[in-house]
Amino acid sequence: QVPVLRPMDLMVEATPRRVFANAHTYHINSISVNSDYETYMSADDLRINLWNFEITNQSFNIVDIKPANMEELTEVITAAEFHPHHCNTFVYSSSKGTIRLCDMRTSALCDRHAKFFEEPEDPSNRSFFSEIISSISDVKFSHSGRYIMTRDYLTVKVWDLNMENRPIETYQVHDYLRSKLCSLYENDCIFDKFECVWNGSDSVIMTGSYNNFFRMFDRNTKRDVTLEASRENSKPRAILKPRKVCVGGKRRKDEISVDSLDFSKKILHTAWHPSENIIAVAATNNLYIFQDKVN
Amino acid sequence: MFVRGLKRKCFDGEEDIEGTLAGIKAIPSYNLQRQSLLDMSLVKLQLCHMLVEPNLCRSVLIANTVRQIQEEMTQDGTWQMINTQSTGQASLDRLVSTDILCRSSREQAEGKHVPGYSTFNKDFEGDPAQDSSETMSTASSVQAPRNLQSNVWEMENPQENKGNFQKSLDQIFETLENKSPNSVEDLFSEVDNSYYDLDTMLTGMMSNTKMGHCDGLETFSSPTTATSNSNCKSDLNELDHIVEILVES
């Protein structure tokens, strides 16, 4: 029998080119490529390791916060990223809402931070859930390298690298959830880890929310918008209609009440093209690509 | 579902103005809410290391919440009173940090699956009262708080029968709480329901953990239906039975 050539649709299959194994005991939460394009780091709950792309069987441990006695563990690493221009500088965030900036030139093991960013707690907002909602789920340098952005459960914060004692900007992502924290703790949604992104010029920041909503904040005009990534509610190439969540009292037409939000539809991952106004949004098992309306 | 009034009023003290009859009628006291949160957190911690791949960040955050509650209860004097009755058991703090946290992290370090259920059975081996009820053993998966509460019951009123159970609970909570509840009877119904609710919540959470779904806040704000009340009854009877055994021993 002569083999027959049968045309088929293009199939894409991912195969690993290199595997960097056996350096992490705990769940890996971040990887970040260095600006030298020779090294990258990987971070788990308690340690951060530095790798060379060409060397798969060896890494250097650069951060280790594992206590000698695990009983004393009260804080874990939640995210880490290299500075976009300075290949010796990186930041990592913690479950207690703090960010540490480290310089790899100071020592092999970056146990002591060069800078420590933490906002003092607001005593009027204190509750048993304060620590959980302060846990940072994502940290991102601005493209300029002058700012970092952090995402915690209810807000996005922008920090100036030169000011450690508080952020320069705070944006409320879904403050209407503040009175629902108990329920969100019960159903575990309070542990959801949302990412955040900068646009190419660092003027707009974006992050996801529930009900397939995602939010954008313009840092200059201070305007914000809520959009929805859903096939049911918008056709391809149609302009997205801004959404609004109604927090109480009369619900206007087209507004959604807090109690109608679908908490299983969460947008945790988003990305922004480095130079164009094109965004990618992951909603459950769908990937949406949106762009500025053209012509 | 969670305790009826509790889902309306959160610990950050913010008033929920949804103000339905159910909400106004039964606002549990702060101490009760706090105790429920403690119970829920302990259940979550146990669930944490039943998973094949425990989430260390989650465990740490929940454990910290438990410690916070504990510290506040110690400052209140609430914890002190219960603690003095404890039968030489390690304080909850030690229990949380050693058994639970260590177990989950050690398990990760060893890459082994910790058979959570077998561990629990070991804890409950010598205790017929707890073995006799699934409700108690699943809801009170950490031994310390349940034993402490049973000791409190013993201390307050050794001669108990079913009818007086609720009354003695009333006395206990009155001594513990600082604020007076709106209605003492409603306080009981909240307490009783919470045991059942912890159990359903446990089941609910197991499926949640597997499927990764959230019920949505609508489910939480809906008032308890008659169906769940009737389910409560059988569990309540079991609970009364166990309390009898604990108290008489």
Side-chain angles (χ1 to χ4, degrees):
Chain A
Q1 292 269 12
V2 176
V4 177
L5 181 69
R6 217 182 296 158
M8 286 180 67
D9 284 342
L10 178 67
M11 282 196 331
V12 178
E13 186 185 295
T15 49
R17 303 301 300 269
R18 271 171 216 168
V19 179
F20 301 79
N22 303 321
H24 285 286
T25 313
Y26 302 97
H27 292 158
I28 297 170
N29 54 54
S30 317
I31 52 177
S32 176
V33 177
N34 207 349
S35 49
D36 62 10
Y37 291 117
E38 287 178 2
T39 57
Y40 74 95
M41 70 164 154
S42 55
D44 68 31
D45 294 321
L46 298 178
R47 297 191 177 99
I48 302 181
N49 295 326
L50 182 72
W51 303 84
N52 183 302
F53 279 112
E54 305 302 317
I55 303 170
T56 58
N57 58 3
Q58 192 186 331
S59 68
F60 294 99
N61 176 243
I62 54 177
V63 173
D64 188 339
I65 64 167
K66 183 166 190 267
N69 186 355
M70 278 297 271
E71 290 178 27
E72 290 161 10
L73 181 67
T74 57
E75 190 174 10
V76 300
I77 296 169
T78 52
E81 198 185 47
F82 268 118
H83 191 282
H85 313 309
H86 306 308
C87 57
N88 51 282
T89 304
F90 66 93
V91 291
Y92 70 91
S93 59
S94 84
S95 57
K96 285 200 171 169
T98 66
I99 307 104
R100 287 168 176 82
L101 182 137
C102 299
D103 187 332
M104 294 197 291
R105 294 170 299 191
T106 53
S107 65
L109 184 63
C110 299
D111 269 356
R112 278 177 308 161
H113 46 263
K115 288 189 197 247
F116 181 75
F117 300 84
E118 185 179 30
E119 183 173 25
E121 196 181 4
D122 175 7
S124 65
N125 263 338
R126 175 125 189 80
S127 75
F128 284 120
F129 305 109
S130 292
E131 184 181 313
I132 299 179
I133 63 170
S134 75
S135 175
I136 291 173
S137 52
D138 193 16
V139 64
K140 293 269 171 53
F141 274 101
S142 64
H143 292 92
S144 63
R146 289 176 50 202
Y147 306 103
I148 47 178
M149 167 167 55
T150 58
R151 174 70 153 98
D152 52 61
Y153 191 61
L154 297 178
T155 72
V156 178
K157 296 181 167 133
V158 177
W159 305 73
D160 186 318
L161 281 192
N162 297 317
M163 188 160 74
E164 299 169 53
N165 60 350
R166 59 182 167 81
I168 57 169
E169 294 153 32
T170 300
Y171 300 93
Q172 302 294 333
V173 181
H174 36 218
D175 200 56
Y176 45 78
L177 297 183
R178 196 177 287 273
S179 58
K180 311 278 184 189
L181 292 179
C182 200
S183 304
L184 294 164
Y185 179 67
E186 186 191 357
N187 68 11
D188 278 349
C189 282
I190 209 175
F191 300 107
D192 285 336
K193 292 184 193 275
F194 293 93
E195 290 176 0
C196 54
V197 285
W198 300 86
N199 74 338
S201 58
D202 297 335
S203 59
V204 180
I205 57 185
M206 174 169 72
T207 189
S209 177
Y210 294 104
N211 208 76
N212 284 338
F213 289 168
F214 57 100
R215 303 261 285 138
M216 287 191 198
F217 303 91
D218 188 318
R219 296 177 62 215
N220 301 324
T221 66
K222 298 303 177 193
R223 281 169 41 200
D224 64 84
V225 69
T226 305
L227 300 170
E228 183 177 1
S230 148
R231 265 183 297 189
E232 290 94 48
N233 293 333
S234 70
K235 297 185 167 55
R237 307 205 177 275
I239 295 190
L240 291 178
K241 207 167 68 143
R243 300 285 178 217
K244 189 134 174 12
V245 176
C246 137
V247 283
K250 268 204 127 224
R251 184 179 78 87
R252 290 200 199 98
K253 190 173 91 103
D254 284 352
E255 281 187 0
I256 300 181
S257 77
V258 181
D259 295 318
S260 312
L261 294 174
D262 188 341
F263 287 83
S264 68
K265 297 190 175 150
K266 48 193 94 175
I267 292 181
L268 304 176
H269 308 287
T270 58
W272 203 307
H273 191 285
S275 48
E276 307 286 320
N277 273 347
I278 304 173
I279 58 174
V281 171
T284 323
N285 57 348
N286 297 313
L287 178 66
Y288 294 83
I289 311 260
F290 299 107
Q291 62 186 60
D292 251 359
K293 60 180 180 190
V294 270
N295 305 330
Chain B
M1 280 308 120
F2 202 51
V3 178
R4 204 181 317 155
L6 186 55
K7 44 188 172 289
R8 296 191 174 282
K9 183 177 162 76
C10 270
F11 292 94
D12 41 19
E14 213 167 314
E15 299 273 43
D16 193 334
I17 335 169
E18 280 170 4
T20 63
L21 193 59
I24 295 170
K25 194 176 73 156
I27 300 174
S29 74
Y30 175 80
N31 280 17
L32 208 59
Q33 285 183 357
R34 186 173 60 184
Q35 182 64 45
S36 299
L37 182 63
L38 179 63
D39 291 342
M40 176 170 45
S41 304
L42 291 170
V43 167
K44 279 183 184 293
L45 275 178
Q46 293 302 334
L47 280 183
C48 272
H49 64 273
M50 282 188 211
L51 296 175
V52 178
E53 295 242 354
N55 185 330
L56 186 63
C57 181
R58 205 180 103 104
S59 305
V60 166
L61 288 173
I62 297 172
N64 289 351
T65 307
V66 168
R67 279 198 203 98
Q68 255 189 67
I69 296 173
Q70 214 194 106
E71 271 163 26
E72 200 184 275
M73 286 172 87
T74 311
Q75 282 167 18
D76 264 357
T78 318
W79 190 253
Q80 202 49 48
M81 181 184 132
I82 296 174
N83 233 3
T84 53
Q85 304 302 319
S86 89
T87 51
Q89 273 173 332
S91 76
L92 186 61
D93 184 46
R94 283 267 313 274
L95 192 75
V96 168
S97 57
T98 57
D99 276 357
I100 293 166
L101 214 49
C102 268
R103 216 177 276 155
S104 57
S105 47
R106 202 194 320 138
E107 169 198 334
Q108 292 197 55
E110 293 165 13
K112 266 190 282 190
H113 171 48
V114 173
Y117 283 110
S118 65
T119 323
F120 299 145
N121 288 338
K122 190 169 61 114
D123 288 340
F124 293 143
E125 224 163 297
D127 196 342
Q130 289 181 313
D131 277 350
S132 70
S133 160
E134 227 178 69
T135 313
M136 277 299 279
S137 58
T138 48
S140 62
S141 44
V142 177
Q143 208 169 353
R146 285 289 169 258
N147 281 348
L148 296 174
Q149 283 195 30
S150 72
N151 288 328
V152 172
W153 296 329
E154 244 178 287
M155 170 194 87
E156 284 292 316
N157 219 328
Q159 306 303 335
E160 283 309 310
N161 59 37
K162 253 190 214 175
N164 289 336
F165 168 63
Q166 293 194 344
K167 228 183 250 177
S168 67
L169 207 55
D170 173 27
Q171 287 170 344
I172 292 154
F173 278 97
E174 257 181 64
T175 59
L176 290 181
E177 72 189 64
N178 302 324
K179 305 167 189 167
S180 50
N182 288 341
S183 158
V184 159
E185 274 72 41
D186 288 326
L187 203 63
F188 299 148
S189 63
E190 294 308 326
V191 171
D192 294 337
N193 281 344
S194 74
Y195 291 115
Y196 166 73
D197 287 337
L198 271 175
D199 190 47
T200 34
M201 191 190 56
L202 187 78
T203 345
M205 270 167 52
M206 285 296 274
S207 49
N208 278 350
T209 321
K210 284 179 191 140
M211 299 189 305
H213 282 312
C214 289
D215 283 347
L217 287 182
E218 287 178 312
T219 340
F220 296 125
S221 20
S222 63
T224 319
T225 62
T227 340
S228 61
N229 275 336
S230 57
N231 287 342
C232 253
K233 286 245 168 73
S234 56
D235 289 306
L236 283 181
N237 289 338
E238 275 184 322
L239 189 60
D240 287 347
H241 178 61
I242 294 144
V243 173
E244 269 182 346
I245 296 170
L246 289 173
V247 161
E248 280 160 35
S249 61

